[in-house]
Amino acid sequence: MFRTALRNVLAHKGRLLMTTLAVMLGTAFVAGTLVFTDTLGSALRSQNSKSYTDIAVTVSDREAVGRGYDHGGKAATGPTLTEDTRKAVAALPGAAEVRGVVSGFAGIADKKGALIGNGFSTTGTNYVPGADGTDPRYPLVEGRGPRSAGEIALDAKTAEKGGYQVGDTVRVAVNGPVMELKLTGTLRTNDPRVTAGGSLAAFDSATAQQLYLSPGRFGELDVKATPGTDDSALLAAVKQAVPHGDTIDARTGRELAAEQDRMIQQGTKGMSTALLVFAGIALFVGVFIIANTFTMLVAQRTKELALLRAIGASRRQITRSVKIEAALVGLTASVAGLVAGIGIAAGLRALLNGPLEANLPDGPLVIAPGTVVAAIAVGVLVTLVAAWLPARRASRIAPVAAMSSAEQPATHKSLVVRNTIGLVLALAGAAGLAAGAAGKEVKLVGAGAGALLIGVFVLTPLLSRPLIALFAPLLGGLYGTPGRLAKENAIRNPRRTAATASALTIGVTLITALTVVGASVNKAVDKATASDLKADFTVTMQNYSMLSPEVATQIAKAPGVSAMSVERTVPVTVGASGATGASGAAGTDGAAGADGSDEPDTTWLTSVDATTIDQLATVKVKEGAADALKQGKLLVSAGSAEHSGHKVGDTLAVTYPDGTKGSLTVGGILESTTALAGIVAPEAVVGPHAAPGTGPNRVLVKGTDGPSEKLKQALRDATGGNPLIAVKGEKDIKAENRRIVTDILNMMYGLLGMSVVIAVLGVVNTMAMSVFERRREIGMLRAIGLDRLGIRRMVRLESLLIALFGGLVGVVLGIVVAWAGLRTLADTFKGLTIEVPPVQILGFLVAAAVVGLLAALWPAYQAAKLDILGAIKSE
């Protein structure tokens, strides 16, 4: 039977080609994902280990690092790392060198004033020259490092993007006025934030301290050990020499490298898992193709199998023969897929490092033994599982019945069982979707969607006849006999049609659901932006850090500004919530948290200008006083009140960021709004108690003559043309939100593309094998007068019907799944309702039709060129 199976594979290799391709593509997706993430993880770990090769111990001030990047104030509230600390550590036995590090962000403007790189990776640091005048962290490409306040060095790629040469004047900004500094040199760096598209600005240490912290203060001390020094012993000595406090942390370089390795491993594992989900979808689509192919092969070899049964082959041997055939196909395709996956991983890395400029670290391709085993095992297993039912059907063929008919119809009992199972699964899935949508449970919605999809797939043969029959009048009227024959061929074998269409249905379902969710979220965000935000412009940092304290004053003086308000978010410690126990208060002694615990709570207040905020944002009060802010009281959003239990009249004993204490009273409950959320307080009350040096998160601006380019430019000019400061109008905010959603959708579409390609192969395979199966029938049609054009048209229309059927079912399922998914997001997006974009949905159906027509080109050509007499004589 093994020789029989091998002979069948070799005899039908052309008919198995598309199945092999489907398995190969799915396996290639799996192998490519594993090779790419293993390669990326290995390269990142190698790069990470190099970053700590000369660091024995690192002492970090978490408060200083946070302030450097967030500019949350320059005043220290605890022990700090100073120059004296650095000298004390440098004097320890075993310490060869101690480098003081300061870091934060710095935006570099190109010669047109635009920001170079993305706002999140604009890195600033200090250049610390050693005895040779260079900083080993940043090898020089050209020139020298900065030595004074008027100088700067840039990474070479940023300098190239900006068109800067050594000696040029560079416009640089942190969160305040723009500085014009002389470029003294260009550097190389392996900082992933920079290599991934960011920028690096290096200042002398005194300037960096002034910008990010305070004179003489460091965020980190990196200790290099003398040869032969034990890191653990040096660490113990360093801990004794540095200040003790909750924000000061000392660890060895090995510990930091190991921690970074763990983070890299988690990150690449998360990426791998996400990509493998889409690989699983592609393989799931492939299951339908494989099952369809082997079902048709078994049907075409009915007499052959019957003869084997007649000469003594048992059912088990017949089943084993088909399984061996499937295993051989799966093994061949998996090996090819593994090779293709390695190529995909190499190509993806080249693409990211080339046109996309991701600048991933170099390193060899990592092909782990586990990847090889997983890729081959997955391919073979999927093929065997998909071929299991056809193999069982082959073993049940009765010898006499098989030799009298080319194809055995499904029994009435099997159809009843199948339809019953499908109906139960579909109803259970629909109930799960409804329950998940009502309870806003994402997991329940996911489970319900899965059950509904499987149930519909099982019911697809039952659905195919009535749905395809809808097109019969149109096809008959437009194309006559070929159209009617195409319809009859499509419904002749509902199981085959269903299996072929289901592969396409999966892709269309997921793409439709994503599109509907994206369109609905976009519409909800647009409506919320238009209704909740009255301001003509908002002024923010592009990396969403705090603005400089002077920005609000600068904006107030800008020409054309009629009203403005800062929006500042600050942390406060809530000691007690009094007056009404129903609010979740713990008492009035100030010793317990608002949740009734013994520990005080930390919450966030958003402060605004009480006198102007109603001109800049929609303020609707559900309960309490509309002018609560003007009275010096709090407004709490409905969602926050529901979560915390705060009610009108509650009094909160708070400790402000500067350490002072006070009490605030809840004056009203706000309706849900995107402009004002959480707990809103008057700026006049909160502002004086913010941490020293902190600025607002954003500034809302209303113009005398409404939104205009003139006002927008005036705001840019007022803030000194800082490339990190963004001035956004309503259109800008909407466009930014849409861009985020569009980028996510495009990425998902790309990842689902493999499953669509496999579905197309399935249609091609089914049509090609169907033509082979119906050679005698096609010969008879030619003999009684149907010309070659009619034959081609019949095959193309049959493929079109199958593709449209799959696309139509997919669109309906996608809309249903999207509706349930959107219900779970109702609390996240105000006014979220389902939005079905008709043009895009129609586009998906048209795309399905095009897929059907293209997939039928080769089978139609093969059918039309059949020799009439040869086809009639074929078995």
Side-chain angles (χ1 to χ4, degrees):
M1 296 307 294
F2 177 81
R3 289 194 298 271
T4 300
L6 182 60
R7 185 202 65 198
N8 285 329
V9 171
L10 296 175
H12 303 133
K13 53 182 177 292
R15 279 176 271 172
L16 288 169
L17 176 62
M18 296 301 172
T19 300
T20 304
L21 283 175
V23 179
M24 186 196 78
L25 289 175
T27 306
F29 203 153
V30 173
T33 294
L34 295 175
V35 171
F36 176 73
T37 52
D38 286 348
T39 299
L40 178 61
S42 174
L44 288 173
R45 287 191 295 273
S46 176
Q47 182 187 68
N48 176 57
S49 65
K50 292 178 183 177
S51 300
Y52 292 97
T53 51
D54 65 339
I55 298 177
V57 175
T58 290
V59 185
S60 59
D61 181 350
R62 290 193 297 272
E63 182 186 52
V65 172
R67 293 186 192 282
Y69 282 96
D70 300 333
H71 288 268
K74 299 177 182 178
T77 59
T80 61
L81 301 177
T82 64
E83 179 62 20
D84 290 339
T85 310
R86 191 194 70 79
K87 290 179 179 178
V89 174
L92 292 173
E97 181 185 345
V98 180
R99 181 191 303 122
V101 179
V102 183
S103 55
F105 63 83
I108 314 299
D110 62 19
K111 293 185 177 180
K112 294 181 179 180
L115 179 69
I116 300 175
N118 58 68
F120 293 101
S121 301
T122 51
T123 306
T125 188
N126 61 326
Y127 189 83
V128 187
D132 60 353
T134 64
D135 189 332
R137 297 174 300 165
Y138 307 115
L140 286 167
V141 176
E142 186 180 0
R144 60 173 176 81
R147 297 172 182 169
S148 64
E151 297 178 341
I152 190 174
L154 300 177
D155 67 282
K157 289 196 174 181
T158 296
E160 182 182 351
K161 290 177 183 177
Y164 291 119
Q165 301 291 331
V166 173
D168 288 350
T169 298
V170 180
R171 300 181 74 247
V172 187
V174 182
N175 66 340
V178 173
M179 302 172 288
E180 294 189 349
L181 307 176
K182 180 182 178 181
L183 181 63
T184 63
T186 56
L187 316 166
R188 286 198 306 270
T189 178
N190 60 5
D191 187 329
R193 292 170 299 178
V194 181
T195 57
S199 61
L200 173 68
F203 308 93
D204 67 288
S205 291
T207 301
Q209 290 171 334
Q210 184 66 38
L211 287 173
Y212 301 125
L213 298 171
S214 56
R217 185 180 180 191
F218 297 107
E220 185 178 293
L221 298 178
D222 292 336
V223 185
K224 182 178 180 180
T226 57
T229 301
D230 180 69
D231 291 354
S232 300
L234 182 58
L235 174 64
V238 168
K239 285 183 176 179
Q240 294 298 318
V242 300
H244 297 280
D246 294 337
T247 64
I248 305 297
D249 181 36
R251 284 185 286 178
T252 65
R254 289 198 308 271
E255 290 174 335
L256 289 172
E259 181 180 341
Q260 290 293 320
D261 283 350
R262 286 193 295 270
M263 293 175 64
I264 291 169
Q265 185 176 5
Q266 290 175 357
T268 53
K269 183 179 179 180
M271 180 193 300
S272 178
T273 301
L275 291 174
L276 286 175
V277 168
F278 289 93
I281 294 172
L283 286 168
F284 184 60
V285 171
V287 166
F288 290 94
I289 299 172
I290 299 165
N292 217 15
T293 301
F294 277 93
T295 297
M296 295 179 74
L297 283 175
V298 167
Q300 292 170 11
R301 300 203 320 257
T302 302
K303 290 186 176 181
E304 174 189 329
L305 295 174
L307 182 60
L308 289 173
R309 289 292 314 282
I311 62 176
S314 65
R315 288 187 174 183
R316 180 175 296 180
Q317 286 178 310
I318 297 294
T319 303
R320 188 182 302 156
S321 173
V322 177
K323 287 182 178 179
I324 292 172
E325 189 175 342
L328 291 172
V329 171
L331 181 61
T332 303
S334 299
V335 172
L338 175 62
V339 175
I342 295 171
I344 289 172
L348 182 58
R349 187 172 66 169
L351 176 66
L352 291 172
N353 281 335
L356 299 182
E357 297 184 348
N359 297 313
L360 301 178
D362 293 329
L365 281 176
V366 177
I367 307 171
T371 298
V372 176
V373 172
I376 294 177
V378 165
V380 173
L381 184 63
V382 165
T383 310
L384 284 173
V385 168
W388 178 70
L389 277 177
R392 288 195 63 195
R393 289 181 189 143
S395 69
R396 292 178 178 178
I397 295 174
V400 175
M403 285 187 281
S404 65
S405 174
E407 184 173 351
Q408 299 302 308
T411 64
H412 176 73
K413 180 180 178 182
S414 68
L415 292 175
V416 171
V417 171
R418 176 178 180 136
N419 293 336
T420 301
I421 294 174
L423 185 61
V424 170
L425 284 172
L427 290 175
L433 276 180
K440 299 175 183 177
E441 293 287 339
V442 177
K443 291 183 179 180
L444 188 55
V445 167
L452 177 62
L453 287 173
I454 295 173
V456 170
F457 292 157
V458 176
L459 286 173
T460 305
L462 182 65
L463 299 173
S464 63
R465 287 181 179 274
L467 289 178
I468 290 177
L470 294 175
F471 299 98
L474 179 63
L475 292 179
L478 291 177
Y479 300 105
T481 299
R484 289 190 292 272
L485 287 172
K487 176 254 183 180
E488 293 299 327
N489 288 335
I491 64 175
R492 176 189 299 181
N493 192 326
R495 287 189 175 185
R496 181 185 305 167
T497 298
T500 306
S502 294
L504 192 59
T505 297
I506 297 171
V508 176
T509 298
L510 295 174
I511 290 174
T512 300
L514 288 172
T515 302
V516 172
V517 169
S520 303
V521 169
N522 274 334
K523 184 177 181 181
V525 173
D526 283 353
K527 286 171 60 179
T529 301
S531 63
D532 295 346
L533 193 64
K534 296 180 181 179
D536 294 327
F537 294 102
T538 64
V539 182
T540 61
M541 295 290 287
Q542 291 201 48
N543 58 2
Y544 299 100
S545 62
M546 293 181 182
L547 291 159
S548 172
E550 303 86 40
V551 168
T553 305
Q554 294 168 343
I555 290 175
K557 296 177 181 178
V561 175
S562 63
M564 59 157 287
S565 171
V566 301
E567 189 174 290
R568 184 196 309 270
T569 303
V570 297
V572 296
T573 301
V574 180
S577 176
T580 56
S583 70
T588 58
D589 58 3
D595 61 356
S597 66
D598 293 333
E599 295 294 330
D601 294 332
T602 297
T603 191
W604 295 87
L605 297 183
T606 299
S607 66
V608 296
D609 190 328
T611 60
T612 60
I613 189 60
D614 56 347
Q615 302 176 52
L616 302 161
T618 301
V619 183
K620 292 184 179 179
V621 178
K622 294 176 61 177
E623 183 183 349
D627 62 346
L629 292 176
K630 294 179 181 178
Q631 299 175 21
K633 297 181 180 180
L634 301 174
L635 286 177
V636 182
S637 66
S640 179
E642 181 180 353
H643 176 73
S644 63
H646 294 315
K647 291 186 177 181
V648 175
D650 285 356
T651 299
L652 308 181
V654 300
T655 301
Y656 294 106
D658 65 352
T660 60
K661 298 182 182 296
S663 62
L664 295 170
T665 302
V666 178
I669 305 298
L670 279 170
E671 286 189 6
S672 296
T673 172
T674 57
L676 299 174
I679 302 176
V680 184
E683 169 65 11
V685 174
V686 176
H689 302 297
T694 59
N697 296 80
R698 68 175 178 171
V699 179
L700 307 178
V701 181
K702 190 79 171 177
T704 304
D705 301 321
S708 65
E709 283 300 318
K710 182 178 179 181
L711 176 59
K712 193 173 188 178
Q713 188 59 48
L715 295 174
R716 289 197 186 106
D717 294 340
T719 55
N722 188 328
L724 273 170
I725 292 180
V727 180
K728 302 176 185 177
E730 181 181 318
K731 290 182 179 178
D732 300 319
I733 295 172
K734 288 181 178 179
E736 183 179 21
N737 292 332
R738 284 184 173 274
R739 185 169 59 252
I740 293 171
V741 174
T742 300
D743 289 346
I744 294 173
L745 288 178
N746 288 339
M747 180 182 68
M748 302 288 274
Y749 291 156
L751 292 171
L752 288 171
M754 186 69 77
S755 61
V756 175
V757 170
I758 292 176
V760 173
L761 293 177
V763 178
V764 175
N765 203 28
T766 299
M767 296 309 302
M769 295 185 70
S770 179
V771 166
F772 178 84
E773 191 177 80
R774 301 203 304 262
R775 285 177 302 169
R776 176 178 292 181
E777 175 186 318
I778 292 171
M780 291 296 296
L781 289 172
R782 288 293 315 283
I784 61 176
L786 191 62
D787 60 10
R788 293 180 185 273
L789 178 62
I791 294 294
R792 286 198 297 269
R793 182 171 291 169
M794 177 188 72
V795 175
R796 288 198 299 263
L797 290 176
E798 180 183 352
S799 178
L800 174 66
L801 282 174
I802 293 173
L804 278 176
F805 169 59
L808 185 62
V809 174
V811 164
V812 173
L813 286 174
I815 293 173
V816 172
V817 171
W819 167 81
L822 287 169
R823 294 292 300 163
T824 66
L825 300 174
D827 291 339
T828 305
F829 298 96
K830 176 188 173 184
L832 182 63
T833 56
I834 188 168
E835 179 73 13
V836 181
V839 175
Q840 288 175 278
I841 297 301
L842 181 61
F844 295 151
L845 291 175
V846 171
V850 171
V851 163
L853 290 174
L854 292 177
L857 288 178
W858 180 65
Y861 170 76
Q862 292 293 320
K865 75 172 188 176
L866 284 176
D867 176 70
I868 298 176
L869 294 178
I872 292 174
K873 290 192 300 181
S874 65
E875 289 293 332

